[in-house]
Amino acid sequence: MKKIVIAVILLALMVSTFAGCGSTNNTSSTTSDNVTAEATKAADPTAGGAAESDAYTGSAPITTEAGQSLKILAQTSNYTNVDITNAEIVKKVIADAGITVEWQLVDYTNYKDSVAPMLSTGSVDADIVLLPDQDPNQVYLKSGMFVALDNYFDSMPNFTKWLDENPVIKAELTAEDGHIYYVPGTNVGKDYQPVLMFNQVWLDKAGKTAPTTLDEFVELLRYYKANDMNGDGALTETPMSIMASMLPYMFGPAFGLDLVSGFQVDANGTVFYAYADSTNYKNYLTFLNSLYTEGLLEIEYSSLTRDQVIERMSNDMTGVAFDYSWAMSMMYSNVLPYYDGTAATAFVGAAPLSGEYEGYYVGRVELGNMFGVNSDSSNIELACKFLDYAMSEGCQTMYQWGIEGESYTVDASGNKSYTEQASDNDWLQQLGINPAFVFPAQQSVASTDALVADWHAQINKEQEQYVKDPWPFIYATSDESDTIAMYMTDIQTYVDENTAAFITGTKSLSDFDSYVSGLNSLNLSAVLTAKQTQYDRYASALK
């Protein structure tokens, strides 16, 4: 069983990152001579002789001048047995582009700490740079170290088309000055997000269907607590196993609150802090306190880990979970002693719970890693063309599926499926699948559907209707950033401490008004003013 659990966890890690890219054992930047040698092997300069295309589709080179080179500062991944510069997918993208690349790779564990000081001192000798963060405070773009890409949009047809197809992301990428500076990778925002899951065998044994309201849910937990659900002759089961970090996802929406993002907007466009809602947040805390008092939310809920949840499932000791959807068949169902590959014997995702408010699931901000073009580069237009090429449909297909005939096949109807070889995670990583730390890769729902059980992929499609966008990524001005940084750490600490105390009953809910007063005394109003200004700017860019 231990081997099975380890195997499942490894596979789930692949899914959770949507097959994150490989890395190299070289933790420092590669030397110029070595990189040039690797680049020469990685690309065929003669490919540059083909005619240029108005849109770089992934099959036509971006330049007619053979041997043109770009320097790219990027990051390794957590697969230390993979040299990403020699990964077949990465080499093919570069070769098809008709250029060579001088890689400057920094180990992923040290990337932010290493690259941020380089950027702050202007000591970056690269044409394209993977940012150490998303530049939320516009520090890098305001310093002038990256070019405004919209000035080069005539050379970026793939990127501009993609922006037009993704207006929310376009608004998020639009800086305070109205320009767009970065080409992003993206995360899947609505698919495979945190969801409520039920042990279908337990539901069937209880003669019940998945509850859709808070009242129905509590009754189910009470039934599980009072009955021997696994048939071992003892009432030792844990009705539900929920990690503390998942409670806001699971119950907040039923009370009209996005406690995951924290900040949200009402029907009038006014920003408010969910944890300061004097009515709905108090009701949320009252509900969780009642679960805790009744023993339906376990005493040690705050320290429960995913490994412990998996162990309980492997022993058929729990009936309810809430976690990222990819865990449904990849980590949870697979360890059940009776799972036979069907939904009837699995942990199955269900609709969100509703209370006074209709339930929903909180999605994910789609923006991932960001790439910029160094304003000191002598190859700005070529760098823009390459980033655009890297965003092409042909390249994205390679990032998501790999090499046709090796890692995937395509049937007569155009449907893709992974090969048996691709089930070897080490091999797939060495191929360079989803090289998100060196190229702007877009996560794929279809390629994840191909990895999970068929019933799981179907449930994911059904649950997409319940997912709502979280608070968006919005650039902050210096003043906004200073205000938020000055006050939010204390506010968050205060909220965390009081939330735990209210749930466990060490602090009476009769003190809730005092809690709100304390929150206001920590200058929450100043933070809300900054967030409102941010949101208004984002809403304007979205129009």
Side-chain angles (χ1 to χ4, degrees):
M1 179 59 68
K2 182 177 180 181
K3 291 181 179 179
I4 294 174
V5 171
I6 292 173
V8 170
I9 290 173
L10 289 174
L11 184 55
L13 286 173
M14 177 175 69
V15 178
S16 68
T17 58
F18 289 79
C21 75
S23 69
T24 175
N25 286 316
N26 298 323
T27 58
S28 60
S29 299
T30 53
T31 64
S32 176
D33 291 343
N34 288 340
V35 171
T36 302
E38 291 296 339
T40 301
K41 291 188 290 183
D44 177 10
T46 62
E52 292 187 48
S53 170
D54 290 335
Y56 314 111
T57 62
S59 59
I62 61 175
T63 176
T64 57
E65 184 178 340
Q68 283 198 279
S69 180
L70 289 172
K71 298 177 183 178
I72 300 179
L73 174 59
Q75 175 186 132
T76 66
S77 187
N78 57 336
Y79 287 87
T80 56
N81 64 331
V82 178
D83 179 355
I84 198 64
T85 63
N86 277 320
E88 187 173 351
I89 293 170
V90 174
K91 292 197 296 182
K92 182 169 175 55
V93 169
I94 295 168
D96 289 350
I99 64 169
T100 61
V101 168
E102 296 183 19
W103 289 107
Q104 300 172 11
L105 296 185
V106 177
D107 187 79
Y108 82 102
T109 58
N110 304 315
Y111 193 80
K112 182 173 183 177
D113 291 339
S114 298
V115 175
M118 294 167 59
L119 291 175
S120 65
T121 58
S123 56
V124 174
D125 179 27
D127 303 299
I128 295 173
V129 177
L130 167 66
L131 270 64
D133 53 41
Q134 295 178 321
D135 198 13
N137 301 322
Q138 307 180 94
V139 173
Y140 306 133
L141 64 85
K142 282 188 173 182
S143 70
M145 67 180 64
F146 293 108
V147 302
L149 296 178
D150 44 298
N151 291 332
Y152 296 86
F153 273 180
D154 287 345
S155 298
M156 305 183 76
N158 293 305
F159 185 43
T160 53
K161 178 176 180 289
W162 182 82
L163 288 173
D164 289 341
E165 293 170 349
N166 295 274
V168 171
I169 294 178
K170 184 176 183 179
E172 291 175 328
L173 286 172
T174 301
E176 182 187 5
D177 61 8
H179 291 292
I180 292 177
Y181 290 83
Y182 306 126
V183 176
T186 60
N187 309 308
V188 170
K190 290 186 179 298
D191 293 85
Y192 296 100
Q193 298 308 301
V195 297
L196 178 60
M197 308 173 211
F198 294 98
N199 184 321
Q200 189 61 49
V201 170
W202 282 28
L203 279 177
D204 291 342
K205 186 174 181 179
K208 298 180 180 294
T209 58
T212 59
T213 67
L214 293 177
D215 289 342
E216 293 172 353
F217 181 72
V218 171
E219 288 305 312
L220 179 66
L221 294 184
R222 288 171 178 163
Y223 184 92
Y224 285 168
K225 189 170 187 283
N227 290 274
D228 180 15
M229 298 307 301
N230 61 15
D232 67 353
L235 297 179
T236 55
E237 297 90 337
T238 304
M240 71 171 177
S241 297
I242 308 296
M243 294 172 287
S245 61
M246 290 296 165
L247 290 175
Y249 285 93
M250 185 174 181
F251 296 115
F255 295 90
L257 301 172
D258 178 358
L259 297 171
V260 178
S261 304
F263 294 94
Q264 59 191 103
V265 181
D266 65 17
N268 298 317
T270 301
V271 175
F272 67 97
Y273 189 47
Y275 290 90
D277 190 309
S278 59
T279 299
N280 294 322
Y281 188 56
K282 182 178 182 180
N283 291 340
Y284 166 86
L285 293 172
T286 301
F287 175 76
L288 288 183
N289 173 255
S290 68
L291 293 183
Y292 185 86
T293 302
E294 198 172 338
L296 303 177
L297 176 63
E298 59 192 287
I299 293 176
E300 301 298 330
Y301 80 93
S302 62
S303 60
L304 185 65
T305 67
R306 184 176 284 112
D307 287 343
Q308 290 173 315
V309 175
I310 292 173
E311 182 179 4
R312 289 176 182 177
M313 292 174 176
S314 67
N315 293 313
D316 196 22
M317 292 294 291
T318 195
V320 181
F322 195 103
D323 206 337
Y324 282 91
S325 171
W326 49 258
M328 195 185 303
S329 68
M330 307 301 289
M331 297 178 73
Y332 287 171
S333 298
N334 278 9
V335 301
L336 288 171
Y338 38 71
Y339 179 62
D340 63 5
T342 67
T345 57
F347 260 88
V348 178
L353 299 172
S354 295
E356 184 177 345
Y357 294 82
E358 185 176 358
Y360 62 89
Y361 291 131
V362 180
R364 184 181 183 187
V365 172
E366 294 187 11
L367 283 180
N369 292 334
M370 293 190 184
F371 295 80
V373 174
N374 190 346
S375 58
D376 290 333
S377 169
S378 59
N379 295 304
I380 289 177
E381 186 166 0
L382 183 66
C384 290
K385 286 183 176 181
F386 180 73
L387 282 177
D388 186 69
Y389 184 87
M391 288 288 285
S392 67
E393 183 177 348
C395 289
Q396 295 299 330
T397 297
M398 279 196 287
Y399 305 155
Q400 297 160 4
W401 291 94
I403 307 297
E404 185 174 359
E406 295 185 37
S407 57
Y408 78 98
T409 58
V410 184
D411 65 20
S413 300
N415 299 312
K416 300 180 182 69
S417 58
Y418 284 114
T419 62
E420 184 177 350
Q421 180 70 47
S423 64
D424 182 342
N425 188 39
D426 285 340
W427 178 85
L428 196 62
Q429 298 304 327
Q430 289 173 21
L431 191 69
I433 200 74
N434 191 22
F437 300 144
V438 293
F439 297 144
Q442 318 302 314
Q443 287 186 344
S444 165
V445 176
S447 59
T448 304
D449 286 347
L451 287 173
V452 303
D454 289 344
W455 61 264
H456 186 172
Q458 181 58 43
I459 287 175
N460 173 66
K461 288 180 176 61
E462 295 170 357
Q463 290 181 320
E464 185 177 337
Q465 64 184 302
Y466 303 121
V467 180
K468 290 188 177 182
D469 292 333
W471 179 265
F473 171 87
I474 311 173
Y475 288 115
T477 65
S478 297
D479 288 344
E480 292 162 357
S481 175
D482 290 346
T483 297
I484 294 168
M486 185 180 302
Y487 300 127
M488 272 309 297
T489 298
D490 289 342
I491 288 173
Q492 189 62 60
T493 299
Y494 179 81
V495 166
D496 291 343
E497 291 175 350
N498 280 274
T499 294
F502 282 131
I503 291 174
T504 60
T506 57
K507 187 169 187 175
S508 172
L509 283 160
S510 63
D511 294 329
F512 185 81
D513 290 344
S514 175
Y515 153 79
V516 174
S517 296
L519 204 50
N520 290 329
S521 70
L522 294 173
N523 296 292
L524 176 60
S525 61
V527 175
L528 286 172
T529 298
K531 288 288 185 177
Q532 185 70 60
T533 304
Q534 277 187 291
Y535 183 80
D536 290 344
R537 188 167 61 247
Y538 161 80
S540 178
L542 191 58
K543 293 178 180 178

